[in-house]
């Protein structure tokens, strides 16, 4: 959406997966578009559940008080 492209508000995240050699583990990467805060969260294997668990466990942290 154009509001996200404008980068005028905090809280719009991009998420991607980086898979390790031999498809054994990797990282869920998160990038906040306005502040350019980047996070790399380890995942054990390439399953939707593990990627979901990694990103949701981080969402419980309050990064912007």
């Amino acid at each position: 959406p154009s509001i996200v492209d404008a980068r005028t508000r905090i809280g719009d995240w991009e998420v991607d997966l980086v898979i390790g050699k031999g498809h054994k583990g990797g990282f869920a990467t998160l990038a906040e578009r306005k502040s350019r805060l980047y996070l790399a969260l380890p995942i054990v294997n390439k399953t939707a559940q593990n990627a979901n668990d990694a990103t949701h466990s981080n969402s419980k942290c309050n990064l912007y008080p």
Side-chain angles (χ1 to χ4, degrees):
S2 60
I3 186 76
V4 174
D5 290 337
R7 295 183 178 176
T8 57
R9 63 184 185 181
I10 289 179
D12 295 319
W13 291 85
E14 292 181 21
V15 180
D16 201 0
L17 294 177
V18 178
I19 303 303
K21 184 177 180 179
H23 299 272
K24 296 180 181 177
F27 291 92
T29 61
L30 292 88
E32 201 285 321
R33 294 189 44 96
K34 180 170 177 66
S35 69
R36 305 230 171 137
L37 173 70
Y38 296 96
L39 302 173
L41 308 169
I43 57 174
V44 184
N45 57 37
K46 188 176 76 170
T47 65
Q49 186 63 54
N50 282 333
N52 193 36
D53 290 346
T55 56
H56 282 93
S57 68
N58 186 61
S59 69
K60 292 182 175 77
C61 299
N62 188 1
L63 297 174
Y64 301 104

